[in-house]
Amino acid sequence: MKNIVAFKNVTKSFNGFAIKNMNLTIKKGEITGFIGANGAGKSTTIKLIMNLLQPDTGEVTVFGQQYAHHEKAIKERIGFVYDNNIFYKDLHIKDIRRIVAPAYQSWDNELFNQYIKLFELPTNKAVQTFSKGMQMKVSLAMALSHKAEFILMDEPTAGLDPVFRRELLDILQEIVSDGERSIFFSTHITSDLERIADRVAFIQKGELLFTDTKANIMQNYALVKGSTSLLNDEVNTCFISIRQQGNHFEALTGHTEKVAQLLGHQVQLEKVSLEDIIFYAKGGKALYV
Amino acid sequence: MYNLMIKDLIIQKKQLYLFIPFIVFYAFFGQHMSPSFIFLMASLYIPLNSYIYEEQVDANVLLNSLPYTRKEIVVAKYMGAIIYMVMAVAVTSVILYVARFPFTWQDIALAVGMFFIFSAVAFPLFYILKPGYIGAVMIIGLIVLASMGPIVFRFLSQYLPAISNFITQTPQPILYGLGAIISIILYVISWLTSHTVYQRKVF
């Protein structure tokens, strides 16, 4: 499957925070959910994809091209939705359209009007008076109106009411249904991912712990419970994180089959949800599956 | 890039309605003022307003997410500023003429020169400083200027005869030409500085 975005050993350091050696790929035709706690590096990663930040080392390619030579061509094909309002706040939608539309060669005004109607957005009010959900809809309408092949969204569901959240997830699913468009969205709400993501990328403290299809994650990941006497170096390599209490342990594994082979019935294997994975992976190590 | 220049007009639609009344006000109530000052104010109106407004709303994320390069964003500002300056000078000339406010070509030339010098100093500040700091820097700048000014003038006054000799002895066209060259060089240096700073800026 074709990669829309590929990070090759990307590192970006700030004062007290760093993206470390990241190898992230986003596949064409899929919805990839990007999950991690607040401050894990989700927004930084999104800024790296958008070239708002440049990596210290490593390489970012989008649509197989690099920003250094193809910045405009790449951005022409990306639609962006950020977690705060980035549009001139006291302008009306029609003025914002007059700024954004001419920037894109493939802008479709009719399509834009359709989305404005569909999303019930008022055109004669300043965007700063809009609720967070409405501001998000403005960005989404802009992204869809220039027929972006890749839609990048930073926390689109945060702050939305439950009704629109569901509607949005349905809209996103509809967007990728032709297999030509791809979506990458960050969130810290696991139920969003369980509902629509094909693939999940998990970031923790600037490190990408894993990227895998949801089906594989459900199959390979499990919570292992048993006696600490079973733990040894070989067994430990199967675990992402281990918590010990007295002579019992609970560990998260990304290699359910291997654990079953090694330990068999001596341990209990429990299915995990994405939320469990995030909870148990805290303090864990990167695992490439 | 043309779109980026038009954008500077769209974002200050409301302020633009005040542009003509602003000059008319000066034309009728600024009789004691130098016409160069009125031309300078009018030329800076659109470019400076667009910088101040974009600084307040932090427009960088939007502009850099659209299919524009950083180079284009900076060039559009510097090119746009010249175009809006020319337009402002034209509009102001008409208003002053109608209001029978006396002015000469020299007044316009002086204002344009000052426009280039002021812009050359002010524009890079909007790229160098973080949003919200520009006001503080301008106040500190004024204080420094006010305290350093007299010292500089005292120093310069030692050379005053030489300076005034140079000015009186040089023919006017050469003096104006020299002024034009210096202002344009400063403007180009300013643009290159802004360009370099903006390339490395983190949003």
Side-chain angles (χ1 to χ4, degrees):
Chain A
M1 202 182 283
K2 230 169 128 186
N3 286 337
I4 294 289
V5 175
F7 276 40
K8 213 186 267 173
N9 301 324
V10 169
T11 302
K12 178 80 197 173
S13 302
F14 300 101
N15 216 352
F17 172 77
I19 294 280
K20 294 161 220 150
N21 210 21
M22 187 182 273
N23 289 291
L24 170 73
T25 51
I26 301 173
K27 307 276 181 199
K28 188 180 173 183
E30 288 189 343
I31 298 181
T32 305
F34 189 39
I35 195 151
N38 290 328
K42 298 195 294 292
S43 293
T44 305
T45 308
I46 285 179
K47 284 180 177 177
L48 284 164
I49 299 176
M50 283 306 296
N51 197 35
L52 295 177
L53 290 176
Q54 280 100 30
D56 297 336
T57 59
E59 186 185 281
V60 176
T61 52
V62 185
F63 302 114
Q65 294 173 314
Q66 284 185 357
Y67 273 109
H69 309 290
H70 304 279
E71 175 148 24
K72 291 176 81 163
I74 294 172
K75 286 181 178 167
E76 180 76 42
R77 298 161 73 185
I78 303 183
F80 50 86
V81 178
Y82 294 113
D83 65 341
N84 55 343
N85 175 41
I86 53 155
F87 297 112
Y88 297 94
K89 58 185 182 336
D90 43 12
L91 295 190
H92 298 174
I93 288 186
K94 47 181 195 262
D95 286 327
I96 294 172
R97 182 194 59 78
R98 285 167 65 200
I99 293 169
V100 173
Y104 294 104
Q105 284 168 4
S106 48
W107 182 272
D108 185 337
N109 242 344
E110 219 166 278
L111 200 60
F112 179 72
N113 292 332
Q114 278 174 27
Y115 281 114
I116 294 301
K117 247 186 221 162
L118 179 74
F119 293 160
E120 297 168 343
L121 292 167
T123 50
N124 54 356
K125 269 186 173 173
V127 282
Q128 65 181 344
T129 63
F130 288 10
S131 67
K132 191 159 188 255
M134 282 159 83
Q135 287 176 355
M136 205 278 302
K137 285 179 188 173
V138 176
S139 299
L140 190 60
M142 300 274 174
L144 295 171
S145 302
H146 69 89
K147 298 167 191 158
E149 291 161 55
F150 173 46
I151 297 177
L152 192 62
M153 310 173 96
D154 194 4
E155 307 267 0
T157 55
L160 295 187
D161 67 75
V163 177
F164 183 62
R165 210 171 117 217
R166 268 189 181 220
E167 274 173 33
L168 172 72
L169 296 179
D170 289 343
I171 293 168
L172 298 185
Q173 222 151 19
E174 165 103 31
I175 292 169
V176 294
S177 61
D178 62 359
E180 287 303 312
R181 297 204 265 192
S182 324
I183 293 174
F184 182 74
F185 77 103
S186 71
T187 182
H188 53 257
I189 307 169
T190 48
S191 61
D192 291 345
L193 301 176
E194 270 154 14
R195 234 180 112 81
I196 62 160
D198 300 300
R199 200 174 285 268
V200 176
F202 179 33
I203 187 171
Q204 185 171 272
K205 291 180 190 153
E207 237 177 307
L208 195 65
L209 247 54
F210 61 80
T211 315
D212 207 345
T213 61
K214 212 165 57 186
N216 275 352
I217 292 169
M218 293 305 150
Q219 203 184 338
N220 295 335
Y221 285 73
L223 193 62
V224 187
K225 290 179 178 174
S227 160
T228 45
S229 60
L230 298 168
L231 297 175
N232 57 43
D233 287 348
E234 194 191 357
V235 172
N236 288 356
T237 55
C238 302
F239 298 144
I240 297 166
S241 71
I242 308 171
R243 285 158 196 253
Q244 296 188 33
Q245 206 167 32
N247 48 10
H248 284 277
F249 77 87
E250 278 185 349
L252 180 71
T253 180
H255 300 288
T256 308
E257 239 172 76
K258 197 173 170 196
V259 172
Q261 268 173 16
L262 281 172
L263 301 171
H265 295 297
Q266 303 173 82
V267 289
Q268 250 183 299
L269 284 170
E270 285 178 14
K271 281 199 162 198
V272 282
S273 63
L274 283 171
E275 198 168 310
D276 293 332
I277 295 177
I278 287 151
F279 177 74
Y280 283 100
K282 209 172 168 203
K285 56 184 187 281
L287 181 82
Y288 299 99
V289 285
Chain B
M1 204 172 65
Y2 163 77
N3 298 325
L4 282 168
M5 292 187 212
I6 297 291
K7 172 221 64 186
D8 281 350
L9 290 183
I10 299 172
I11 58 173
Q12 46 181 317
K13 218 166 67 177
K14 284 180 201 152
Q15 290 96 318
L16 279 181
Y17 293 132
L18 293 174
F19 180 61
I20 289 176
F22 168 77
I23 302 168
V24 170
F25 177 83
Y26 274 115
F28 285 100
F29 299 101
Q31 296 291 344
H32 57 288
M33 281 183 189
S34 143
S36 308
F37 178 74
I38 300 174
F39 277 110
L40 177 65
M41 287 290 127
S43 339
L44 286 170
Y45 190 93
I46 296 174
L48 213 54
N49 252 334
S50 83
Y51 267 115
I52 293 169
Y53 180 67
E54 291 201 318
E55 191 232 345
Q56 282 169 358
V57 299
D58 199 8
N60 283 321
V61 174
L62 171 66
L63 296 179
N64 283 284
S65 299
L66 293 172
Y68 294 120
T69 59
R70 293 184 180 205
K71 184 179 160 191
E72 284 176 325
I73 294 169
V74 177
V75 171
K77 278 274 193 236
Y78 276 77
M79 292 283 287
I82 295 178
I83 291 168
Y84 295 131
M85 178 267 287
V86 171
M87 280 163 60
V89 166
V91 172
T92 309
S93 304
V94 172
I95 293 172
L96 292 188
Y97 180 77
V98 170
R100 295 172 184 221
F101 192 110
F103 67 94
T104 60
W105 282 111
Q106 276 94 330
D107 294 322
I108 295 179
L110 193 64
V112 172
M114 303 253 282
F115 164 86
F116 278 118
I117 294 168
F118 183 88
S119 307
V121 176
F123 291 178
L125 292 179
F126 288 94
Y127 298 104
I128 294 166
L129 299 170
K130 281 186 184 159
Y133 284 77
I134 199 123
V137 168
M138 282 196 171
I139 290 170
I140 294 168
L142 270 177
I143 295 169
V144 171
L145 212 66
S147 51
M148 294 293 287
I151 301 167
V152 174
F153 275 116
R154 231 170 287 147
F155 175 75
L156 278 181
S157 62
Q158 294 170 11
Y159 302 95
L160 207 59
I163 294 170
S164 63
N165 261 351
F166 173 76
I167 291 174
T168 48
Q169 277 170 13
T170 317
Q172 248 193 6
I174 294 181
L175 211 58
Y176 276 97
L178 212 62
I181 291 169
I182 292 173
S183 350
I184 290 167
I185 288 175
L186 281 176
Y187 197 68
V188 171
I189 292 173
S190 164
W191 164 59
L192 291 173
T193 311
S194 298
H195 171 84
T196 314
V197 171
Y198 202 57
Q199 288 293 328
R200 293 180 196 156
K201 201 155 169 118
V202 167
F203 304 118

